Amino acid sequence: MCAMKGLNRRQFIASSTALTGAALLPWSFSASAAAVASATPGGTPRKGGVLRISVDQAVSVLNPHQVRVNPEYLVAELLYSGLTRLTQAMKAEADLAQSWQPNDDLTQWTFTLRPDLRFSDGSPLTAADVVASLQALLDPKNASPALHNIGPIKTVSAKDNNTILIETEAPYADLPVMLAYPDAKIIPAHIAQGQYDKLSSASLGAGPFQLVSYDPERKIVVKRNPHYYDATRPYLDGVEVVVYPDAIAESSALIAGDTDLMLSAQSSEFARLAKSAGVLPLRVASGQFLNVNMGCDQKPFNDVRVRQALALCVDRQASVDFVADGLGSPGNDTPINAAYPYYAQLTQKALDYSKAKALLAEAGYPNGLDLTLIASDKPSTRTQLGIALREMAKPGGFRINVQTMAHSTYLDQVWKKGNFYVGFYNMQPTPDAVFSLLYTSTAAWNETRWNNAAFDGAVMAARETNDETLRTQLYGKAQQLMHDEVPSLIPTFFDLLAASREHVAGYHLHPRGAVFRLDHVWLTANAPKRSL
């Protein structure tokens, strides 16, 4: 029986011992789904006003080709555009490209740009800038997260000033969707070809806004870009992105009317927001997840039996209840849930401490195993999952010390390097995207170093076919391999949560989690009057 049975989340956490290097975080109650419709006020969009949006961590990276976390994605989206962008339904729509067409075997794609595109300084944006930008993204020395996430691109060339030809290594039907990747923004050719340092504190893009000021730890201010390709948008005069590292302070600012929109809300604060006058709680089902990454190339996790034993110590529903306040769904150790196409309904894992102990003994640990699990402090649910796993795994023979650290330190010292740590990822637009980001041998963020040839083969074969039946079978095989071999634990999927004031109109919480579309947002007549 799970060690947490019969305890509510507050009692469970309070009964735990203190974390190394961190105090316990605040908790609260779950909000009912009925109280959190994701509607925003309708009506005719109106121009004017400054939107103040809060984020929970610093915007440490301004270069759009290097951004890594949601607040950075937000600012990159405000200042830059890509060839395509994502709709709410995870479909590609026109951004800088007004149209695209593949050849018959899906190995050549022709993209046609909108006419008379301009960067924010008024200089022309042509196919040469697109080619240089995509080549920079694909250059390993630039280490962009987009390197392995915009498709198996072989060559990029300009047919004329407004037309780009992209050739892929193999048939690839998902290319227009993947070119909407958050880092795949178009920058001037002269910057893309060796002057990246210019984008560390300044901006030159073709997005809906221009940079006014950049204080990464406190506030980023942008104003409407007069050279944006759509003369009707953005509706806002400007946006202020304000950093609130403390979740309670961030929620309080929205409730008080000091901010207009929260980029994301923690489950621990969601009920308070939902009950506050003038606040609209926002919620959408998503494939966003926490995982516990295990270095499959190092002891003890190079033995699959250790990974399987730990997976048998996880109460999946309890993880949702304690970590997500019930605002999510159980995971099954694959990154694909029912929010994705090609989801495979595999046997749901259940607690089995006897089998877990037997597997540990077979692996050479008859007396159990001591481990240190690293958890970043952003978002706080990483720490909460660590605590929950520590308590759940004790009866199975795992003695886990949970160590938390500042997110900046985690990114520098642990991420992609550590042996046992808690990860956090947004939903990706396709199954191929999430597999290729995290779990294939050539993944941009191959944290687990699982490097399973059968898995790689299934993912590659699925991306190269248009046969829906075959794709379903191949993605099902990939999910089964992850389910069985457990390169990482994935116990919990999260609904995405946010909140806004009632005067914010046109904003819809995106299930991808890294898409914001603030150029479609406007403020109603009763919004606070702010100027840049």
Side-chain angles (χ1 to χ4, degrees):
M1 181 174 290
C2 174
M4 297 189 294
K5 197 105 175 157
L7 292 176
N8 65 31
R9 182 171 170 223
R10 184 189 299 268
Q11 292 169 332
F12 164 66
I13 301 295
S15 69
S16 301
T17 58
L19 283 174
T20 302
L24 297 180
L25 298 162
W27 356 97
S28 68
F29 305 100
S30 299
S32 67
V36 290
S38 293
T40 56
T44 302
R46 61 191 295 272
K47 282 207 169 186
V50 175
L51 178 81
R52 188 171 290 167
I53 180 170
S54 66
V55 298
D56 63 359
Q57 58 186 291
V59 181
S60 301
V61 176
L62 193 59
N63 183 334
H65 287 189
Q66 306 293 337
V67 291
R68 307 158 297 176
V69 293
N70 283 357
E72 295 170 357
Y73 294 152
L74 168 66
V75 173
E77 186 182 295
L78 293 173
L79 299 173
Y80 296 88
S81 292
L83 286 176
T84 60
R85 65 192 301 188
L86 279 185
T87 67
Q88 289 291 119
M90 299 290 189
K91 304 295 184 183
E93 70 173 5
D95 199 3
L96 296 177
Q98 65 179 3
S99 63
W100 49 88
Q101 183 66 43
N103 65 353
D104 290 341
D105 69 357
L106 302 177
T107 59
Q108 294 184 348
W109 290 80
T110 301
F111 288 80
T112 302
L113 297 177
R114 297 176 186 271
D116 195 30
L117 289 170
R118 302 273 167 179
F119 287 108
S120 59
D121 65 353
S123 60
L125 187 160
T126 70
D129 299 297
V130 175
V131 171
S133 295
L134 295 182
Q135 288 175 340
L137 290 166
L138 295 169
D139 188 339
K141 79 173 187 295
N142 292 327
S144 171
L147 173 60
H148 297 292
N149 294 300
I150 57 175
I153 295 175
K154 181 179 180 181
T155 62
V156 186
S157 59
K159 297 175 70 174
D160 55 44
N161 278 346
N162 290 300
T163 313
I164 301 100
L165 177 65
I166 299 178
E167 296 187 71
T168 56
E169 299 282 356
Y172 190 62
D174 293 335
L175 184 65
V177 173
M178 296 316 299
L179 286 172
Y181 190 75
D183 295 69
K185 299 297 192 287
I186 305 307
I187 62 178
H190 70 275
I191 292 179
Q193 292 168 341
Q195 300 183 38
Y196 261 178
D197 58 316
K198 290 188 175 182
L199 300 183
S200 61
S201 58
S203 168
L204 185 52
F209 296 91
Q210 297 175 325
L211 186 65
V212 174
S213 63
Y214 174 58
D215 183 346
E217 300 285 344
R218 192 178 70 87
K219 185 166 69 172
I220 297 88
V221 179
V222 302
K223 65 180 181 180
R224 183 188 293 120
N225 176 9
H227 304 291
Y228 190 52
Y229 62 74
D230 188 336
T232 64
R233 300 196 322 271
Y235 305 118
L236 299 164
D237 289 336
V239 177
E240 295 180 355
V241 180
V242 186
V243 181
Y244 280 87
D246 180 77
I248 296 176
E250 184 180 12
S251 297
S252 297
L254 185 74
I255 292 168
D258 295 333
T259 58
D260 306 302
L261 176 64
M262 292 177 65
L263 189 70
S264 64
Q266 294 187 12
S267 59
S268 58
E269 285 293 295
F270 198 59
R272 181 163 78 105
L273 291 163
K275 295 174 183 176
S276 300
V279 173
L280 287 174
L282 308 176
R283 176 181 175 188
V284 66
S286 175
Q288 185 186 83
F289 64 90
L290 283 171
N291 61 355
V292 178
N293 290 302
M294 294 170 279
C296 298
D297 60 342
Q298 300 175 37
K299 289 185 177 182
F301 301 116
N302 59 347
D303 192 320
V304 67
R305 293 168 295 188
V306 173
R307 307 195 304 265
Q308 291 169 336
L310 187 59
L312 291 170
C313 296
V314 180
D315 185 322
R316 311 287 164 147
Q317 186 57 53
S319 297
V320 175
D321 293 341
F322 292 135
V323 179
D325 278 323
L327 302 171
S329 58
N332 208 17
D333 298 336
T334 90
I336 307 301
N337 67 354
Y340 281 96
Y342 310 111
Y343 166 61
Q345 290 188 309
L346 307 175
T347 301
Q348 181 63 53
K349 293 181 180 179
L351 280 173
D352 192 333
Y353 288 127
S354 295
K355 187 173 181 181
K357 288 181 175 180
L359 284 168
L360 272 185
E362 290 174 17
Y365 305 99
N367 299 318
L369 189 58
D370 293 288
L371 299 167
T372 296
L373 177 66
I374 305 297
S376 158
D377 63 352
K378 296 290 183 181
S380 63
T381 47
R382 297 197 203 218
T383 299
Q384 293 160 9
L385 177 60
I387 297 170
L389 181 63
R390 180 184 69 191
E391 298 305 307
M392 287 188 289
K394 283 179 181 177
F398 291 91
R399 297 175 293 273
I400 299 175
N401 170 43
V402 181
Q403 188 173 24
T404 194
M405 64 176 55
H407 190 65
S408 58
T409 305
Y410 159 84
L411 288 175
D412 289 338
Q413 298 182 9
V414 177
W415 183 51
K416 297 192 292 185
K417 304 179 185 75
N419 192 38
F420 192 42
Y421 63 89
V422 182
F424 172 78
Y425 289 100
N426 289 318
M427 183 177 182
Q428 301 299 312
T430 66
D432 179 79
V434 69
F435 288 146
S436 299
L437 177 67
L438 299 175
Y439 292 108
T440 61
S441 299
T442 58
W445 298 339
N446 182 13
E447 300 171 291
T448 64
R449 285 94 61 192
W450 180 36
N451 300 345
N452 184 289
F455 176 83
D456 292 348
V459 173
M460 180 61 72
R463 71 162 56 168
E464 293 183 355
T465 180
N466 281 325
D467 186 318
E468 290 297 300
T469 299
L470 181 55
R471 281 192 122 189
T472 299
Q473 293 171 352
L474 290 165
Y475 282 132
K477 177 182 178 180
Q479 291 170 72
Q480 187 72 61
L481 285 166
M482 287 197 66
H483 174 275
D484 295 347
E485 296 202 12
V486 204
S488 67
L489 294 175
I490 305 179
T492 306
F493 288 94
F494 293 88
D495 294 346
L496 297 189
L497 310 174
S500 75
R501 299 294 302 181
E502 291 178 342
H503 56 255
V504 176
Y507 182 72
H508 302 280
L509 195 57
H510 199 285
R512 170 80 167 82
V515 179
F516 312 100
R517 302 170 65 90
L518 292 189
D519 53 305
H520 289 273
V521 171
W522 72 95
L523 298 174
T524 61
N526 62 337
K529 301 299 185 287
R530 298 193 182 101
S531 59
L532 294 174

